[in-house]
Amino acid sequence: MGICIRKTSLGNKRANMEHESLRADELAPSGSILRLSLPSLGSNSGFTLIEIMVVIIILGILVGLIVPRLMEEPEKARVVKARMQIESLSTALKKYKLDHGDYPTTEQGLEALVEKPSIGKIPKKYPEKGYLPKIPKDPWGNDYLYISPGDHGDFDIVCYGADGEEGGEGKDEDIQSWEFE
């Protein structure tokens, strides 16, 4: 299969084609156009079944390696979001303690950060807008567990992971405030 470059001269009437072959490194004189023509492919052109199958197998292998990694990313993002929410709740709880001397009790719960508690020790100077606009759900749609006083510090905040139950591994693993403070 070769490439043929033909020189075409332009005249006043119609384009007059001269079929003299040029090497690829020759320049056409001004007023000429170089045309590149490829020989037509014969009936033997195309891909064989084996070539197509090899490509499909390679694509299958690539998909098998890449897709599982992409599928793990949303779960990792949910864990990061839960940690960030726990840190945000912890910061709001510490501000609450600075203002009132104590953390909200387990009975008052995290809701004490949104509205003035009506049970237990009631704060005297509670901010009009509270400490948070609302208490977020964990990334899997469950409530955070709040315990004060906590077993691991002044308070404990726990997210039970994807399964919403205590314990678990992988995406079901619990995320606890005392593990990353």
Side-chain angles (χ1 to χ4, degrees):
M1 180 191 303
I3 298 175
C4 179
I5 300 176
R6 295 195 178 139
K7 178 177 143 187
T8 303
S9 299
L10 297 176
N12 287 341
K13 298 179 183 176
R14 294 183 125 191
N16 179 19
M17 292 188 67
E18 299 173 8
H19 296 299
E20 72 186 73
S21 295
L22 299 173
R23 289 193 337 245
D25 59 343
E26 289 182 338
L27 296 175
S30 67
S32 297
I33 298 173
L34 288 180
R35 294 188 187 259
L36 180 68
S37 64
L38 297 173
S40 62
L41 298 174
S43 61
N44 292 339
S45 65
F47 298 105
T48 66
L49 180 60
I50 292 175
E51 291 171 328
I52 292 172
M53 290 178 64
V54 167
V55 169
I56 290 172
I57 290 170
I58 291 171
L59 289 174
I61 291 170
L62 289 174
V63 167
L65 294 173
I66 294 171
V67 169
R69 289 184 184 163
L70 294 177
M71 297 301 285
E72 293 173 7
E73 292 304 314
E75 284 306 315
K76 289 178 184 176
R78 286 186 184 100
V79 170
V80 169
K81 182 177 180 182
R83 287 177 178 256
M84 290 174 57
Q85 287 177 334
I86 289 173
E87 287 177 8
S88 175
L89 291 169
S90 296
T91 301
L93 286 165
K94 290 171 185 174
K95 184 161 178 11
Y96 182 99
K97 182 181 179 184
L98 283 173
D99 291 349
H100 308 294
D102 290 313
Y103 290 105
T105 64
T106 302
E107 192 176 44
Q108 291 170 324
L110 293 172
E111 291 75 23
L113 299 173
V114 178
E115 0 181 290
K116 186 175 183 178
S118 58
I119 54 174
K121 184 178 176 185
I122 299 172
K124 295 179 182 171
K125 295 182 180 179
Y126 191 84
E128 185 179 317
K129 294 184 179 182
Y131 295 90
L132 292 173
K134 68 177 190 169
I135 303 300
K137 297 274 190 189
D138 74 17
W140 296 275
N142 302 313
D143 292 326
Y144 286 99
L145 175 66
Y146 171 72
I147 302 167
S148 179
D151 294 332
H152 303 278
D154 293 328
F155 61 86
D156 294 343
I157 303 174
V158 179
C159 168
Y160 284 137
D163 63 356
E165 296 178 9
E166 189 173 356
E169 294 179 12
K171 67 180 182 178
D172 299 330
E173 187 174 356
D174 298 346
I175 303 162
Q176 301 155 332
S177 60
W178 62 90
E179 290 180 343
F180 51 91
E181 285 187 350

